[in-house]
Amino acid sequence: MLFYSHYVSLALLAVKRPSLLSTLRAGDIFVCLLIGVALLSQLFVMVGVKTPEFQNWNRWPFVFDIVGPLGRWSGPFGNVNYAGPVGAFIFTFGLIRFGWKRAIFCGAGAVFVFLSDSRNAMFMLVVGLCAFIAVSPINYTHLRLKRLRLVPLATVVTAAIVYVLSLDPTLNGRTPVWRVFVELWQTSPIIGVGGTGISRAIEGGSLQAWANHGHNMLFDPATRYGVFGVVALSALLLVIGVIVVRSFRRGFREPLILFAVFVAGGVSDNLVDWRYFGIHAVPLILTAILAAVWLSEQDKTTQQATVRL
């Protein structure tokens, strides 16, 4: 039933195409609901209706000095590695908004990321901030000054490489998981081993219990669904990427920032279960609609101007 609801949603979008303003408002409402649900969840914790949503211990050293041991917050999202990326999206969406929305969204998103202590979310947040700076419409009089906007992005990439090589070469246990997933994929490269094959690897001791997915946007579908899954996902990202780049070239930078953050989140985690419409799929859909609507409205404006001439 859920599978067919996807087609109904696409049909509704095709029949009545949203405007740019309505799409941004939908994004505002979605972000406000995320923040509201998180606050409501914490209220339930405070009154004793829910148990605290914490996992392990926060790794920020100065937090221990100020407030003592603090658990990593997962909120109503079920896992710190889901709560953190939600915060990164909220922060990034705040960057492309203005006024009170930017202040509240960026503030709430940063709090989500900080409390979850998710390094993947921190990476996403920094990539979003760097992308925002890199494509900011600032007028410079000299080409070299324009290129200075790329310095933050280059710094983040360099810092990430240094961090991986010197402090965490396994990316918190990710690289051994990727190696096992590649080995599993090689046993059935065309159609994959499915969830059953991954479960058997966990039962056999090849994977730990927490590695029930590939912790990478491409490794997981390759192992789970084989070449067909990778080709389908790559085609989807390629199409959306082309639309996003086209909108950027025509003056709309916001989708490019959101798309960069989504791709960054897929480097060391697999946030989207492509069988279902999950919370982490919304940013990608919102990105695609924003870019497509912008191009459509620009084409209409151009056609109207041509008719007048």
Side-chain angles (χ1 to χ4, degrees), residues 108-128:
V111 170
F112 279 32
V113 172
F114 173 77
L115 292 178
S116 70
D117 193 21
S118 166
R119 281 178 284 191
N120 185 46
M122 296 174 199
F123 178 66
M124 294 170 65
L125 186 149
V126 174
V127 167

Side-chain angles (χ1 to χ4, degrees), residues 9-177:
S9 300
L10 291 174
L12 290 174
L13 288 172
V15 172
K16 186 177 181 180
R17 296 183 180 182
S19 65
L20 181 63
L21 182 59
S22 64
T23 305
L24 287 171
R25 285 177 177 171
D28 292 338
I29 294 172
F30 177 64
V31 169
C32 288
L33 288 174
L34 290 175
I35 297 173
V37 167
L39 291 175
L40 186 62
S41 175
Q42 292 309 114
L43 177 61
F44 287 161
V45 171
M46 293 173 61
V47 300
V49 176
K50 285 180 86 282
T51 56
E53 306 110 338
F54 293 114
Q55 299 173 10
N56 303 322
W57 296 107
N58 198 296
R59 291 167 291 195
W60 292 97
F62 63 87
V63 173
F64 285 10
D65 298 333
I66 299 174
V67 300
L70 179 66
R72 298 175 65 190
W73 178 78
S74 60
F77 308 106
N79 190 290
V80 295
N81 292 320
Y82 296 150
V86 167
F89 162 69
I90 292 174
F91 178 87
T92 307
F93 193 77
L95 289 177
I96 69 174
R97 307 303 282 137
F98 300 96
W100 66 268
K101 295 176 184 177
R102 173 176 290 180
I104 293 178
F105 295 171
C106 287
V111 170
F112 279 32
V113 172
F114 173 77
L115 292 178
S116 70
D117 193 21
S118 166
R119 281 178 284 191
N120 185 46
M122 296 174 199
F123 178 66
M124 294 170 65
L125 186 149
V126 174
V127 167
L129 186 58
C130 291
F132 175 77
I133 295 173
V135 301
S136 58
I138 302 175
N139 293 320
Y140 295 100
T141 58
H142 200 283
L143 181 60
R144 290 181 179 177
L145 294 178
K146 291 183 179 180
R147 291 174 178 170
L148 284 177
R149 295 181 299 178
L150 301 177
V151 171
L153 184 58
T155 302
V156 169
V157 173
T158 303
I161 293 174
V162 171
Y163 174 80
V164 169
L165 294 178
S166 59
L167 298 177
D168 190 10
T170 68
L171 287 177
N172 198 24
R174 298 297 200 270
T175 53
V177 171

Side-chain angles (χ1 to χ4, degrees), residues 178 213-221 266-271:
W178 295 344
H213 61 84
H215 288 274
N216 179 271
M217 186 164 51
L218 292 179
F219 286 149
D220 186 86
V267 172
S268 64
D269 220 331
N270 185 52
L271 299 173

